[in-house]
Amino acid sequence: LWRGRCRALLSRPAGALRARRGLAAGPEMHFGFQSVTEEERREKIYQVFENVAKKYDVMNDSMTLGIHRVWKDILMHKMNPCPGTLLLDVAGGTGDIAFRFINYVRSVRQRQLQRKLKQHQNLSWQEIFESYQKDKFNSLGDSQVVVCDINREMLKVGKQKAQHLGYSEGLSWVLGNAEELPFDDDKFDVYTIAFGIRNVTRIDLALQEAYRVLKPGGRFLCLEFSHVSNPLLSRLYDLYSFQVIPVLGEVIAGDWKSYQYLVESIRQFPPQEELKAMIEDAGFFKVDYENLNFGIVAIHSGFKL
């Protein structure tokens, strides 16, 4: 029910953005270490994630030894959402960020209720019971998260996970392209993209779209694999990435090539300072980044002022 209401609230007329800014064919670009056209890259990346969707979570645990969970937790604490926050999670098909957001806001709401009740020690049992019952039916405080992904298979996996884990309140799923988001201007309080921006064909357009759909004062947060600063760790990381990860992909997911691409895409991705400059070029202010595990990943942050 909420999903339909959210789409009605957030969707914009088809083709409105296309009329304003088309997706140009553009020059040759990289698909891993291959040179391809922009359209070929878009199609190949779509196929990669269609292939890996069902094993995506298992492979994330295997490739990072489970550390990706910690990185996503850090992203959520950095966001520190309050009840009432409207979050857009782009390229978030399997729901990892969305579920963390819901858990975080529920926890904040619970602490708020406990503080409220402690300040009113003279409440009757009936009043306390009614307060808890009211909170039970509004555990997110009107917070909402919209998961937007270009890949139907990834969204399908996310919806199945949400159903299995019991997430439904304040959550909707939208098929959409990060370079051409199907939402009106100035809609969201926070925009997140976790391990997705390096797979966007035109990062500049995706950043412009992030800026467009955020409200003034809204925050952009990007969690992505980046460039390791320690030379020794960098060599070990390369050895693990190129010799181990594709083998894991073959053994666990039966797909060597997709995981070979994912490793290559990390190496082709702009380093931290270059991505910071791109975010600033899109119009964001107070742009900075935090390296995690010596730069294996980085969290970039910026504000629409």
Side-chain angles (χ1 to χ4, degrees):
L1 177 62
W2 184 90
R3 185 180 307 162
R5 194 164 74 242
C6 179
R7 284 182 177 171
L9 172 69
L10 298 175
S11 62
R12 63 190 311 176
L17 187 59
R18 288 189 183 90
R20 191 179 69 180
R21 180 174 64 235
L23 297 180
E28 283 198 343
M29 45 184 58
H30 295 288
F31 174 78
F33 292 157
Q34 303 176 40
S35 291
V36 295
T37 66
E38 185 173 322
E39 188 57 36
E40 285 173 336
R41 184 177 194 272
R42 188 174 288 110
E43 290 174 1
K44 285 176 178 289
I45 291 173
Y46 188 94
Q47 190 62 52
V48 163
F49 284 94
E50 193 165 74
N51 292 344
V52 306
K54 291 180 180 178
K55 296 287 186 178
Y56 186 77
D57 290 330
V58 174
M59 278 301 299
N60 277 348
D61 282 333
S62 301
M63 289 188 302
T64 69
L65 307 178
I67 300 173
H68 75 99
R69 299 173 182 268
V70 177
W71 295 332
K72 291 167 183 173
D73 288 341
I74 293 172
L75 176 71
M76 194 53 54
H77 281 86
K78 196 175 184 72
M79 184 195 305
N80 190 25
C82 59
T85 298
L86 180 57
L87 168 66
L88 174 63
D89 183 39
V90 175
T94 58
D96 270 7
I97 300 302
F99 303 152
R100 280 171 169 79
F101 172 81
I102 290 172
N103 291 342
Y104 194 99
V105 173
R106 281 177 178 168
S107 178
V108 171
R109 284 280 293 170
Q110 184 66 21
R111 290 196 301 271
Q112 288 178 343
L113 178 62
Q114 290 172 351
R115 285 197 299 268
K116 176 183 175 183
L117 294 178
K118 284 180 181 179
Q119 291 170 359
H120 297 83
Q121 295 291 338
N122 59 342
L123 289 177
S124 68
W125 172 84
Q126 183 66 30
E127 289 170 323
I128 292 173
F129 176 78
E130 288 175 356
S131 292
Y132 270 105
Q133 287 298 106
K134 181 180 178 182
D135 184 67
K136 179 181 178 181
F137 293 105
N138 191 19
S139 63
L140 291 177
D142 298 322
S143 294
Q144 301 168 2
V145 52
V146 179
V147 179
C148 181
D149 201 294
I150 196 172
N151 193 286
R152 292 182 186 275
E153 282 300 310
M154 294 289 282
L155 286 173
K156 180 180 177 182
V157 170
K159 291 176 185 178
Q160 291 171 345
K161 279 176 61 181
Q163 185 176 15
H164 176 72
L165 296 171
Y167 292 101
S168 58
E169 179 193 7
L171 173 64
S172 70
W173 308 84
V174 175
L175 185 71
N177 186 345
E179 302 167 42
E180 192 177 9
L181 293 170
F183 308 111
D184 286 333
D185 299 353
D186 305 328
K187 279 291 179 186
F188 297 93
D189 300 304
V190 184
Y191 171 114
T192 52
I193 183 165
F195 303 117
I197 201 166
R198 77 179 189 281
N199 298 306
V200 170
T201 304
R202 290 280 303 277
I203 295 175
D204 58 336
L205 291 185
L207 291 172
Q208 290 168 26
E209 281 291 270
Y211 187 88
R212 180 183 66 78
V213 300
L214 279 170
K215 297 175 183 176
R219 189 174 193 184
F220 168 88
L221 285 166
C222 171
L223 171 65
E224 186 55 87
F225 288 107
S226 200
H227 289 246
V228 178
S229 54
N230 183 290
L232 176 60
L233 181 59
S234 180
R235 286 194 291 272
L236 293 173
Y237 182 42
D238 277 346
L239 183 65
Y240 174 76
S241 297
F242 287 101
Q243 302 301 320
V244 177
I245 289 178
V247 175
L248 288 174
E250 181 63 32
V251 172
I252 296 173
D255 190 347
W256 176 293
K257 287 186 177 179
S258 291
Y259 287 93
Q260 180 73 24
Y261 157 72
L262 291 175
V263 171
E264 292 175 357
S265 70
I266 293 169
R267 295 304 178 273
Q268 296 287 59
F269 190 68
Q272 290 89 323
E273 285 292 332
E274 187 175 333
L275 181 58
K276 177 184 176 183
M278 293 175 73
I279 296 169
E280 289 172 336
D281 287 345
F284 289 100
F285 291 87
K286 291 182 65 65
V287 178
D288 61 15
Y289 60 87
E290 176 184 358
N291 284 329
L292 305 179
N293 296 94
F294 299 97
I296 289 178
V297 300
I299 298 176
H300 281 74
S301 171
F303 293 87
K304 177 177 177 177
L305 300 180

